[in-house]
Amino acid sequence: MFGSLFKRSKEWQPPEILGLTIGRGITFDPIALRLLPAESLLERPDTTLMITAQGHCDLGEQSHMHRFYPDDDRFLVQIQGGDGEADTRVDEVMLWYFFDVQYPTSDTEWNRLKDAIRQTTYTVPHEGTDYRFERAWFDTSSTPEDPMTYWEEICDDRSGGGRRRIFQTAMLFARPLQEGRDEMLLVNLEEPDNAERSIAYMIGFPLEQHNFSV
């Protein structure tokens, strides 16, 4: 899905994607939020989130990933498609919830977790229950696989202010829910330039464009 390492885009400026960009709000259809499966680990956001930062990654092959960070730092809206300028194609919209964020204190722990996401399954404990996810990337492989790596460039305003980069090592997992849809788990090892590294566990669901407005 992602290339092994994406080049930094020095000229990138935060574009509008489906009208969404820094300083604007995204409002979710409350009915769509209520229809999220009860057994999902994803928290329900407020109906409106204000975007305070925006990230970008060039995925190669004319595909781009745009991330919108709201004032509620438990959530992330991600749109995948074109560059948002010359190519406004939208292939996928995801709502991500930061289920947990950890800060490993040693290289040993960091490398242990990096190896754990190479495996075919990943288990998340929550309130006395272990939730088992199957690897969604490389799902036809029964052997350990290397995670994806990519740079994300993030800005705090539309002029490009507050620009920073985060190198990320990630693997995607999924588990089926009772209603037939899959719940996604993205395990993301994050290494910001000049900042503390962390591991984000993100629970996600796809959104349809009619599920929200800007």
Side-chain angles (χ1 to χ4, degrees):
M1 183 175 178
F2 299 131
S4 60
L5 182 62
F6 303 124
K7 297 179 180 178
R8 182 181 183 181
S9 173
K10 295 182 179 179
E11 303 301 323
W12 175 76
Q13 297 293 326
E16 293 182 18
I17 313 292
L18 298 179
L20 189 62
T21 189
I22 298 168
R24 294 186 182 167
I26 180 170
T27 299
F28 301 99
D29 180 350
I31 295 177
L33 294 180
R34 287 198 297 270
L35 291 177
L36 288 172
E39 74 268 31
S40 171
L41 297 176
L42 184 141
E43 292 285 343
R44 278 60 171 169
D46 293 334
T47 55
T48 298
L49 298 174
M50 295 300 300
I51 303 304
T52 59
Q54 187 169 337
H56 167 261
C57 182
D58 185 343
L59 305 181
E61 299 182 355
Q62 299 181 327
S63 186
H64 295 253
M65 182 169 68
H66 304 270
R67 285 177 165 174
F68 300 88
Y69 295 88
D71 48 357
D72 186 338
D73 60 9
R74 299 176 300 161
F75 297 98
L76 167 68
V77 178
Q78 179 176 294
I79 300 176
Q80 190 166 318
D83 62 9
E85 296 173 344
D87 180 0
T88 57
R89 184 186 80 254
V90 171
D91 298 327
E92 178 185 73
V93 183
M94 291 287 295
L95 172 65
W96 292 102
Y97 162 64
F98 286 87
F99 177 76
D100 190 19
V101 179
Q102 299 179 7
Y103 299 88
T105 58
S106 68
D107 289 341
T108 298
E109 179 66 7
W110 182 264
N111 292 329
R112 185 191 69 79
L113 289 166
K114 187 180 291 188
D115 183 67
I117 64 173
R118 298 179 65 244
Q119 311 308 314
T120 57
T121 64
Y122 198 92
T123 300
V124 174
H126 180 60
E127 296 181 348
T129 300
D130 289 337
Y131 295 87
R132 178 187 170 104
F133 290 79
E134 303 286 338
R135 195 171 60 201
W137 291 339
F138 311 108
D139 58 331
T140 60
S141 170
S142 60
T143 61
E145 297 286 350
D146 290 336
M148 302 300 186
T149 58
Y150 56 96
W151 283 100
E152 181 181 6
E153 193 163 20
I154 302 174
C155 295
D156 291 332
D157 62 57
R158 296 197 65 186
S159 67
R163 191 180 299 269
R164 58 199 182 276
R165 295 195 306 155
I166 304 176
F167 182 70
Q168 303 180 34
T169 302
M171 186 64 79
L172 185 69
F173 299 86
R175 71 180 182 107
L177 300 180
Q178 291 180 2
E179 62 147 27
R181 286 195 292 176
D182 284 343
E183 177 170 74
M184 312 309 295
L185 168 69
L186 184 67
V187 184
N188 214 37
L189 285 73
E190 303 181 358
E191 300 176 79
D193 284 346
N194 304 316
E196 185 179 13
R197 63 188 180 182
S198 63
I199 300 175
Y201 297 86
M202 301 160 64
I203 301 294
F205 265 99
L207 293 175
E208 300 294 337
Q209 292 187 32
H210 64 264
N211 293 151
F212 63 89
S213 61
V214 177

